[in-house]
Every structure is written in structure tokens, then in C-alpha cells.
Amino acid sequence: MSIDLDLARRVLEGAEREAARRSVALAVTVTDPAGAIVAAGRMDGANDVAFQLAHDKAFTAAAFGAPSHAWAEATAPGGADWGMAGSARGRILVLPGGVPLRLGGALIGALGVSGAAPVVDLACAEAGARVLEDN
């Protein structure tokens, strides 16, 4: 099962609404379970590099079925998973802002948000993911 375009757009819009409420400009990507982009956007004023970071956060959340920041401590120097962040051709990104998307317990994709402070990226990603609660 994979997220469809209509639902992906609604998730993206949920993240963008939270970003607008917080007066920040972000890049947002929604991926399928394999990390391929289904829907994406870069808000006016968002940093150019934010788009790639958002996609990598979503890729990480999809790959592991967990928030991208869940691996931050384990991948730090000396951690049990040290070096993991350099795997998958550098696509594994352990910063806050990537969240898995689940429907009925099944992983249907992931959402990645980037462009603001880490805590804001995460809050906007969580706001987008909450759209699934209405389905």
C-alpha cells in the first residue's frame, strides 16, 4: 500500500499550513514507502538546499519506518550505528523533520520538512502527518 497523490497533497498542505502559521518558509516532500517523491513543494522564500534536505529526511523516515531524528544519538561518533548516516549514497539524514506516514498501521510513505530550526521542521512535519488522522 502506498500513499496516493490526493492524500500526499493534503499531507503537504498540512505541513505548509503549520509553516505559514509559524511564519517560516519550508520545503516539503511526501514520498512513497521506497522514498520516491509523490508530492513536493518549496514555499516562497525557502532556501534552495531545503528541498534536497526535506527529501532526504523523508527518505530516511521511509527507509526505517521511524522519524529521521530517531538515529541521531546512535549515529554520533562512537555510537552503535556510527557511519550509518553516510550510507545509501549519503541519503540517510538524521536531523528532525522526517516522519513516517502510516494508515491503519501500514507504512504508506513519509514526509520530510526542511528550512527552519530543527524543532520547527519537526513540528511542521508532525502537523502534516496529523492529516492522516482524518482518514
Side-chain angles (χ1 to χ4, degrees):
M1 186 156 129
S2 182
I3 193 166
D4 65 25
L5 181 58
D6 178 61
L7 185 53
R9 285 181 176 154
R10 287 188 280 148
V11 168
L12 183 140
E13 290 166 358
E16 288 179 339
R17 273 193 304 276
E18 182 63 16
R21 188 183 78 73
R22 292 170 176 261
S23 300
V24 295
L26 302 174
V28 181
T29 64
V30 180
T31 70
D32 66 13
I37 294 175
V38 177
R42 187 170 63 90
M43 299 170 72
D44 293 343
N47 187 300
D48 291 340
V49 75
F51 185 84
Q52 185 61 52
L53 295 173
H55 186 197
D56 288 348
K57 289 177 184 184
F59 177 87
T60 302
F64 297 107
S68 53
H69 67 277
W71 310 106
E73 188 175 322
T75 59
D81 294 315
W82 168 241
M84 182 177 79
S87 63
R89 287 182 252 161
R91 300 276 323 270
I92 304 300
L93 190 58
V94 297
L95 299 173
V99 295
L101 299 174
R102 296 185 187 281
L103 199 56
L107 181 70
I108 61 167
L111 169 63
V113 174
S114 188
V119 67
V120 175
D121 286 354
L122 180 58
C124 293
E126 289 172 340
R130 279 194 296 276
V131 168
L132 297 177
E133 294 173 6
D134 296 333
N135 286 311

CSV table of all heavy atoms in Angstrom, one decimal, residues 17-76:
chain,number,residue,atom,x,y,z
A,17,ARG,N,0.6,24.6,6.0
A,17,ARG,CA,-0.3,25.5,6.9
A,17,ARG,C,0.4,25.8,8.2
A,17,ARG,O,0.4,26.9,8.7
A,17,ARG,CB,-1.6,24.8,7.1
A,17,ARG,CG,-2.6,25.1,6.1
A,17,ARG,CD,-4.0,24.6,6.5
A,17,ARG,NE,-4.1,23.2,6.9
A,17,ARG,CZ,-4.3,22.2,6.1
A,17,ARG,NH1,-4.4,22.4,4.8
A,17,ARG,NH2,-4.3,21.0,6.5
A,18,GLU,N,1.0,24.8,8.8
A,18,GLU,CA,1.7,25.0,10.1
A,18,GLU,C,2.9,25.9,9.9
A,18,GLU,O,3.2,26.7,10.7
A,18,GLU,CB,2.2,23.6,10.7
A,18,GLU,CG,2.9,23.8,12.0
A,18,GLU,CD,2.0,24.3,13.1
A,18,GLU,OE1,0.8,24.4,13.0
A,18,GLU,OE2,2.6,24.7,14.2
A,19,ALA,N,3.6,25.7,8.8
A,19,ALA,CA,4.8,26.6,8.5
A,19,ALA,C,4.3,28.1,8.3
A,19,ALA,O,4.9,29.0,8.9
A,19,ALA,CB,5.5,26.2,7.2
A,20,ALA,N,3.2,28.3,7.6
A,20,ALA,CA,2.7,29.6,7.4
A,20,ALA,C,2.2,30.2,8.8
A,20,ALA,O,2.5,31.4,9.1
A,20,ALA,CB,1.5,29.6,6.5
A,21,ARG,N,1.6,29.4,9.6
A,21,ARG,CA,1.2,29.8,11.0
A,21,ARG,C,2.4,30.3,11.8
A,21,ARG,O,2.3,31.2,12.5
A,21,ARG,CB,0.5,28.7,11.7
A,21,ARG,CG,-0.2,29.1,13.0
A,21,ARG,CD,-0.8,27.9,13.7
A,21,ARG,NE,0.2,27.1,14.4
A,21,ARG,CZ,0.8,27.4,15.5
A,21,ARG,NH1,0.6,28.6,16.1
A,21,ARG,NH2,1.6,26.6,16.1
A,22,ARG,N,3.6,29.6,11.6
A,22,ARG,CA,4.8,30.0,12.3
A,22,ARG,C,5.6,31.0,11.5
A,22,ARG,O,6.7,31.3,12.0
A,22,ARG,CB,5.6,28.7,12.5
A,22,ARG,CG,4.9,27.8,13.5
A,22,ARG,CD,5.7,26.4,13.5
A,22,ARG,NE,5.1,25.5,14.5
A,22,ARG,CZ,5.7,25.3,15.7
A,22,ARG,NH1,6.7,25.9,16.1
A,22,ARG,NH2,5.1,24.4,16.5
A,23,SER,N,5.2,31.5,10.4
A,23,SER,CA,5.9,32.5,9.6
A,23,SER,C,7.2,32.0,9.1
A,23,SER,O,8.2,32.8,9.2
A,23,SER,CB,5.9,33.8,10.3
A,23,SER,OG,4.7,34.3,10.6
A,24,VAL,N,7.3,30.8,8.7
A,24,VAL,CA,8.6,30.2,8.1
A,24,VAL,C,8.3,29.7,6.7
A,24,VAL,O,7.2,29.3,6.4
A,24,VAL,CB,9.2,29.1,9.0
A,24,VAL,CG1,9.6,29.7,10.4
A,24,VAL,CG2,8.3,28.0,9.2
A,25,ALA,N,9.3,29.7,5.9
A,25,ALA,CA,9.2,29.2,4.6
A,25,ALA,C,10.0,27.9,4.5
A,25,ALA,O,11.2,27.8,4.8
A,25,ALA,CB,9.8,30.2,3.6
A,26,LEU,N,9.4,26.8,4.1
A,26,LEU,CA,9.9,25.5,4.1
A,26,LEU,C,9.8,24.8,2.8
A,26,LEU,O,9.0,25.1,1.9
A,26,LEU,CB,9.2,24.6,5.1
A,26,LEU,CG,9.2,25.0,6.6
A,26,LEU,CD1,8.3,24.1,7.4
A,26,LEU,CD2,10.6,25.1,7.2
A,27,ALA,N,10.6,23.7,2.6
A,27,ALA,CA,10.4,22.8,1.5
A,27,ALA,C,9.8,21.5,2.2
A,27,ALA,O,10.1,21.2,3.3
A,27,ALA,CB,11.8,22.4,0.9
A,28,VAL,N,8.9,20.9,1.4
A,28,VAL,CA,8.2,19.8,2.0
A,28,VAL,C,8.1,18.7,0.9
A,28,VAL,O,7.8,19.0,-0.3
A,28,VAL,CB,6.7,20.2,2.3
A,28,VAL,CG1,6.0,19.0,2.9
A,28,VAL,CG2,6.7,21.3,3.3
A,29,THR,N,8.4,17.5,1.2
A,29,THR,CA,8.3,16.3,0.3
A,29,THR,C,7.5,15.2,0.9
A,29,THR,O,7.7,14.9,2.1
A,29,THR,CB,9.6,15.8,-0.2
A,29,THR,OG1,10.3,15.2,0.9
A,29,THR,CG2,10.5,16.9,-0.9
A,30,VAL,N,6.7,14.6,0.2
A,30,VAL,CA,5.9,13.4,0.6
A,30,VAL,C,6.4,12.3,-0.4
A,30,VAL,O,6.3,12.4,-1.6
A,30,VAL,CB,4.4,13.6,0.5
A,30,VAL,CG1,3.7,12.4,0.9
A,30,VAL,CG2,4.0,14.8,1.3
A,31,THR,N,6.8,11.2,0.2
A,31,THR,CA,7.3,10.1,-0.6
A,31,THR,C,6.4,8.8,-0.4
A,31,THR,O,5.6,8.7,0.6
A,31,THR,CB,8.7,9.7,-0.2
A,31,THR,OG1,8.7,9.1,1.1
A,31,THR,CG2,9.7,10.9,-0.2
A,32,ASP,N,6.7,7.9,-1.3
A,32,ASP,CA,6.1,6.5,-1.1
A,32,ASP,C,7.0,5.8,-0.1
A,32,ASP,O,8.0,6.3,0.3
A,32,ASP,CB,5.9,5.9,-2.5
A,32,ASP,CG,7.2,5.5,-3.2
A,32,ASP,OD1,8.3,5.6,-2.6
A,32,ASP,OD2,7.1,5.2,-4.4
A,33,PRO,N,6.6,4.5,0.2
A,33,PRO,CA,7.4,3.8,1.1
A,33,PRO,C,8.9,3.5,0.7
A,33,PRO,O,9.7,3.2,1.5
A,33,PRO,CB,6.7,2.4,1.3
A,33,PRO,CG,5.3,2.8,1.0
A,33,PRO,CD,5.4,3.8,-0.1
A,34,ALA,N,9.1,3.6,-0.6
A,34,ALA,CA,10.5,3.4,-1.1
A,34,ALA,C,11.3,4.7,-1.1
A,34,ALA,O,12.5,4.7,-1.5
A,34,ALA,CB,10.5,2.8,-2.5
A,35,GLY,N,10.7,5.8,-0.7
A,35,GLY,CA,11.4,7.1,-0.7
A,35,GLY,C,11.3,7.9,-2.0
A,35,GLY,O,11.9,9.0,-2.1
A,36,ALA,N,10.5,7.5,-3.0
A,36,ALA,CA,10.3,8.3,-4.2
A,36,ALA,C,9.3,9.4,-4.0
A,36,ALA,O,8.2,9.1,-3.3
A,36,ALA,CB,9.9,7.3,-5.3
A,37,ILE,N,9.5,10.5,-4.5
A,37,ILE,CA,8.6,11.7,-4.3
A,37,ILE,C,7.3,11.4,-4.9
A,37,ILE,O,7.2,11.1,-6.1
A,37,ILE,CB,9.2,13.0,-4.8
A,37,ILE,CG1,10.5,13.3,-3.9
A,37,ILE,CG2,8.2,14.1,-4.8
A,37,ILE,CD1,11.2,14.5,-4.4
A,38,VAL,N,6.2,11.7,-4.2
A,38,VAL,CA,4.8,11.6,-4.7
A,38,VAL,C,4.3,13.1,-4.9
A,38,VAL,O,3.7,13.4,-5.8
A,38,VAL,CB,3.9,10.8,-3.8
A,38,VAL,CG1,2.5,10.9,-4.2
A,38,VAL,CG2,4.4,9.4,-3.6
A,39,ALA,N,4.6,13.9,-3.9
A,39,ALA,CA,4.2,15.3,-3.9
A,39,ALA,C,5.3,16.2,-3.2
A,39,ALA,O,5.9,15.7,-2.3
A,39,ALA,CB,2.9,15.6,-3.3
A,40,ALA,N,5.6,17.4,-3.7
A,40,ALA,CA,6.6,18.2,-3.1
A,40,ALA,C,6.3,19.7,-3.4
A,40,ALA,O,5.6,20.0,-4.4
A,40,ALA,CB,8.0,17.8,-3.7
A,41,GLY,N,6.9,20.5,-2.6
A,41,GLY,CA,6.8,21.9,-2.8
A,41,GLY,C,7.9,22.7,-2.0
A,41,GLY,O,8.4,22.2,-1.1
A,42,ARG,N,8.2,23.8,-2.5
A,42,ARG,CA,9.1,24.7,-1.8
A,42,ARG,C,8.4,26.1,-1.7
A,42,ARG,O,8.1,26.7,-2.7
A,42,ARG,CB,10.4,24.8,-2.6
A,42,ARG,CG,11.5,25.6,-1.9
A,42,ARG,CD,12.9,25.5,-2.5
A,42,ARG,NE,12.9,26.1,-3.8
A,42,ARG,CZ,13.2,27.4,-4.1
A,42,ARG,NH1,13.5,28.2,-3.1
A,42,ARG,NH2,13.3,27.8,-5.3
A,43,MET,N,8.1,26.4,-0.5
A,43,MET,CA,7.4,27.7,-0.2
A,43,MET,C,8.3,28.9,-0.7
A,43,MET,O,9.5,28.8,-0.6
A,43,MET,CB,7.1,27.8,1.3
A,43,MET,CG,6.1,26.7,1.7
A,43,MET,SD,5.9,26.6,3.5
A,43,MET,CE,4.9,28.1,3.8
A,44,ASP,N,7.6,30.0,-1.1
A,44,ASP,CA,8.3,31.2,-1.4
A,44,ASP,C,9.2,31.6,-0.3
A,44,ASP,O,8.8,31.7,0.8
A,44,ASP,CB,7.3,32.3,-1.7
A,44,ASP,CG,6.5,32.1,-3.0
A,44,ASP,OD1,6.9,31.2,-3.8
A,44,ASP,OD2,5.5,32.7,-3.1
A,45,GLY,N,10.5,31.8,-0.6
A,45,GLY,CA,11.5,32.2,0.4
A,45,GLY,C,12.2,31.1,1.0
A,45,GLY,O,13.2,31.4,1.7
A,46,ALA,N,11.9,29.9,0.7
A,46,ALA,CA,12.6,28.7,1.3
A,46,ALA,C,14.0,28.6,0.7
A,46,ALA,O,14.1,28.8,-0.5
A,46,ALA,CB,11.8,27.4,1.1
A,47,ASN,N,14.9,28.3,1.4
A,47,ASN,CA,16.3,28.1,1.0
A,47,ASN,C,16.4,27.0,-0.1
A,47,ASN,O,15.7,26.0,0.0
A,47,ASN,CB,17.2,27.7,2.2
A,47,ASN,CG,18.7,27.6,1.8
A,47,ASN,OD1,19.1,26.9,0.9
A,47,ASN,ND2,19.4,28.4,2.5
A,48,ASP,N,17.2,27.2,-1.1
A,48,ASP,CA,17.3,26.2,-2.2
A,48,ASP,C,17.7,24.8,-1.8
A,48,ASP,O,17.2,23.8,-2.3
A,48,ASP,CB,18.3,26.7,-3.3
A,48,ASP,CG,17.8,27.9,-4.0
A,48,ASP,OD1,16.6,28.2,-4.1
A,48,ASP,OD2,18.7,28.6,-4.6
A,49,VAL,N,18.6,24.7,-0.8
A,49,VAL,CA,19.0,23.4,-0.3
A,49,VAL,C,18.0,22.7,0.5
A,49,VAL,O,18.0,21.5,0.7
A,49,VAL,CB,20.4,23.5,0.4
A,49,VAL,CG1,20.2,24.1,1.8
A,49,VAL,CG2,21.1,22.2,0.5
A,50,ALA,N,17.0,23.4,1.0
A,50,ALA,CA,16.0,22.8,1.8
A,50,ALA,C,15.2,21.7,1.1
A,50,ALA,O,14.8,20.7,1.8
A,50,ALA,CB,15.0,23.9,2.3
A,51,PHE,N,15.0,21.8,-0.2
A,51,PHE,CA,14.3,20.8,-0.9
A,51,PHE,C,15.0,19.4,-0.8
A,51,PHE,O,14.4,18.4,-0.5
A,51,PHE,CB,14.1,21.2,-2.3
A,51,PHE,CG,13.2,20.2,-3.1
A,51,PHE,CD1,11.8,20.3,-3.0
A,51,PHE,CD2,13.8,19.2,-3.8
A,51,PHE,CE1,11.0,19.4,-3.7
A,51,PHE,CE2,13.0,18.3,-4.5
A,51,PHE,CZ,11.6,18.4,-4.4
A,52,GLN,N,16.3,19.4,-1.1
A,52,GLN,CA,17.0,18.1,-1.0
A,52,GLN,C,17.1,17.6,0.4
A,52,GLN,O,16.9,16.4,0.6
A,52,GLN,CB,18.5,18.3,-1.5
A,52,GLN,CG,19.2,17.0,-1.6
A,52,GLN,CD,18.6,16.0,-2.6
A,52,GLN,OE1,18.3,16.3,-3.7
A,52,GLN,NE2,18.3,14.8,-2.1
A,53,LEU,N,17.2,18.5,1.4
A,53,LEU,CA,17.2,18.0,2.8
A,53,LEU,C,15.9,17.4,3.2
A,53,LEU,O,15.8,16.4,3.8
A,53,LEU,CB,17.6,19.2,3.7
A,53,LEU,CG,19.0,19.7,3.5
A,53,LEU,CD1,19.2,21.0,4.4
A,53,LEU,CD2,20.1,18.7,3.9
A,54,ALA,N,14.8,18.1,2.7
A,54,ALA,CA,13.5,17.6,3.0
A,54,ALA,C,13.3,16.2,2.4
A,54,ALA,O,12.7,15.3,3.1
A,54,ALA,CB,12.4,18.5,2.5
A,55,HIS,N,13.7,16.0,1.2
A,55,HIS,CA,13.6,14.7,0.5
A,55,HIS,C,14.4,13.7,1.3
A,55,HIS,O,14.0,12.5,1.5
A,55,HIS,CB,14.0,14.8,-0.9
A,55,HIS,CG,13.7,13.5,-1.7
A,55,HIS,ND1,14.3,13.3,-2.9
A,55,HIS,CD2,13.0,12.5,-1.4
A,55,HIS,CE1,13.9,12.1,-3.3
A,55,HIS,NE2,13.1,11.6,-2.5
A,56,ASP,N,15.6,14.0,1.7
A,56,ASP,CA,16.5,13.0,2.4
A,56,ASP,C,15.9,12.7,3.8
A,56,ASP,O,16.0,11.5,4.2
A,56,ASP,CB,17.9,13.5,2.5
A,56,ASP,CG,18.6,13.5,1.2
A,56,ASP,OD1,18.1,12.9,0.2
A,56,ASP,OD2,19.7,14.1,1.1
A,57,LYS,N,15.3,13.6,4.4
A,57,LYS,CA,14.6,13.3,5.7
A,57,LYS,C,13.5,12.4,5.5
A,57,LYS,O,13.3,11.4,6.2
A,57,LYS,CB,14.1,14.6,6.4
A,57,LYS,CG,15.2,15.5,6.9
A,57,LYS,CD,14.6,16.8,7.5
A,57,LYS,CE,15.7,17.7,7.9
A,57,LYS,NZ,15.1,18.9,8.6
A,58,ALA,N,12.7,12.6,4.4
A,58,ALA,CA,11.5,11.7,4.1
A,58,ALA,C,12.1,10.3,3.7
A,58,ALA,O,11.5,9.3,4.2
A,58,ALA,CB,10.7,12.3,3.0
A,59,PHE,N,13.1,10.3,2.9
A,59,PHE,CA,13.8,9.0,2.5
A,59,PHE,C,14.2,8.2,3.8
A,59,PHE,O,13.9,7.0,3.8
A,59,PHE,CB,15.0,9.3,1.6
A,59,PHE,CG,15.7,8.1,1.2
A,59,PHE,CD1,15.4,7.4,0.1
A,59,PHE,CD2,16.8,7.7,1.9
A,59,PHE,CE1,16.1,6.2,-0.3
A,59,PHE,CE2,17.5,6.5,1.6
A,59,PHE,CZ,17.2,5.8,0.4
A,60,THR,N,14.8,8.9,4.7
A,60,THR,CA,15.3,8.2,5.9
A,60,THR,C,14.1,7.7,6.7
A,60,THR,O,14.1,6.5,7.2
A,60,THR,CB,16.1,9.2,6.8
A,60,THR,OG1,17.2,9.7,6.0
A,60,THR,CG2,16.6,8.5,8.1
A,61,ALA,N,13.0,8.5,6.9
A,61,ALA,CA,11.9,8.1,7.6
A,61,ALA,C,11.2,6.9,7.0
A,61,ALA,O,10.7,5.9,7.6
A,61,ALA,CB,10.9,9.2,7.8
A,62,ALA,N,11.1,6.9,5.6
A,62,ALA,CA,10.5,5.8,4.9
A,62,ALA,C,11.4,4.5,5.0
A,62,ALA,O,10.9,3.4,5.2
A,62,ALA,CB,10.3,6.2,3.4
A,63,ALA,N,12.7,4.7,4.9
A,63,ALA,CA,13.6,3.5,4.9
A,63,ALA,C,13.5,2.8,6.2
A,63,ALA,O,13.6,1.5,6.3
A,63,ALA,CB,15.0,4.0,4.6
A,64,PHE,N,13.4,3.5,7.3
A,64,PHE,CA,13.4,2.9,8.6
A,64,PHE,C,12.1,2.8,9.4
A,64,PHE,O,12.0,2.3,10.4
A,64,PHE,CB,14.5,3.6,9.5
A,64,PHE,CG,15.9,3.5,9.0
A,64,PHE,CD1,16.5,4.6,8.4
A,64,PHE,CD2,16.6,2.3,9.0
A,64,PHE,CE1,17.8,4.5,7.9
A,64,PHE,CE2,17.8,2.1,8.5
A,64,PHE,CZ,18.5,3.2,7.9
A,65,GLY,N,11.1,3.5,8.8
A,65,GLY,CA,9.8,3.5,9.4
A,65,GLY,C,9.7,4.2,10.7
A,65,GLY,O,8.9,3.8,11.6
A,66,ALA,N,10.6,5.1,10.9
A,66,ALA,CA,10.7,5.9,12.2
A,66,ALA,C,11.1,7.3,11.8
A,66,ALA,O,11.7,7.6,10.7
A,66,ALA,CB,11.8,5.2,13.1
A,67,PRO,N,10.9,8.3,12.7
A,67,PRO,CA,11.3,9.6,12.5
A,67,PRO,C,12.8,9.7,12.2
A,67,PRO,O,13.6,9.0,12.8
A,67,PRO,CB,11.0,10.4,13.8
A,67,PRO,CG,9.9,9.5,14.4
A,67,PRO,CD,10.2,8.1,14.0
A,68,SER,N,13.2,10.6,11.3
A,68,SER,CA,14.6,10.7,10.9
A,68,SER,C,15.5,11.0,12.1
A,68,SER,O,16.6,10.5,12.1
A,68,SER,CB,14.7,11.8,9.8
A,68,SER,OG,14.2,13.0,10.2
A,69,HIS,N,15.1,11.7,13.0
A,69,HIS,CA,16.0,12.1,14.2
A,69,HIS,C,16.1,10.9,15.2
A,69,HIS,O,17.0,11.0,16.0
A,69,HIS,CB,15.5,13.3,14.9
A,69,HIS,CG,14.2,13.1,15.6
A,69,HIS,ND1,12.9,13.2,14.9
A,69,HIS,CD2,13.9,12.9,16.9
A,69,HIS,CE1,12.0,13.0,15.8
A,69,HIS,NE2,12.5,12.8,17.0
A,70,ALA,N,15.4,9.8,15.0
A,70,ALA,CA,15.5,8.7,15.9
A,70,ALA,C,16.9,8.1,15.9
A,70,ALA,O,17.3,7.5,16.9
A,70,ALA,CB,14.5,7.6,15.5
A,71,TRP,N,17.7,8.4,14.9
A,71,TRP,CA,19.0,7.8,14.8
A,71,TRP,C,20.1,8.7,15.1
A,71,TRP,O,21.3,8.4,15.1
A,71,TRP,CB,19.2,7.3,13.3
A,71,TRP,CG,18.1,6.5,12.9
A,71,TRP,CD1,17.1,6.8,12.0
A,71,TRP,CD2,17.7,5.2,13.3
A,71,TRP,NE1,16.2,5.8,11.8
A,71,TRP,CE2,16.6,4.8,12.7
A,71,TRP,CE3,18.3,4.3,14.2
A,71,TRP,CZ2,15.9,3.5,12.9
A,71,TRP,CZ3,17.7,3.0,14.4
A,71,TRP,CH2,16.5,2.7,13.8
A,72,ALA,N,19.8,9.9,15.6
A,72,ALA,CA,20.8,11.0,15.8
A,72,ALA,C,21.9,10.5,16.8
A,72,ALA,O,23.1,10.6,16.6
A,72,ALA,CB,20.2,12.3,16.3
A,73,GLU,N,21.4,10.0,18.0
A,73,GLU,CA,22.4,9.6,19.0
A,73,GLU,C,23.2,8.4,18.6
A,73,GLU,O,24.4,8.3,18.8
A,73,GLU,CB,21.6,9.3,20.3
A,73,GLU,CG,22.5,9.1,21.5
A,73,GLU,CD,21.8,8.9,22.8
A,73,GLU,OE1,20.8,9.6,23.0
A,73,GLU,OE2,22.2,8.1,23.6
A,74,ALA,N,22.5,7.4,18.0
A,74,ALA,CA,23.2,6.1,17.6
A,74,ALA,C,24.2,6.3,16.5
A,74,ALA,O,25.2,5.6,16.4
A,74,ALA,CB,22.2,5.1,17.2
A,75,THR,N,24.0,7.4,15.7
A,75,THR,CA,25.0,7.6,14.6
A,75,THR,C,26.0,8.6,14.9
A,75,THR,O,26.9,8.9,14.0
A,75,THR,CB,24.2,8.1,13.3
A,75,THR,OG1,23.5,9.3,13.6
A,75,THR,CG2,23.2,7.0,12.8
A,76,ALA,N,26.0,9.2,16.1
A,76,ALA,CA,27.1,10.1,16.5
A,76,ALA,C,28.4,9.3,16.7
A,76,ALA,O,28.4,8.1,16.9
A,76,ALA,CB,26.7,10.7,17.9
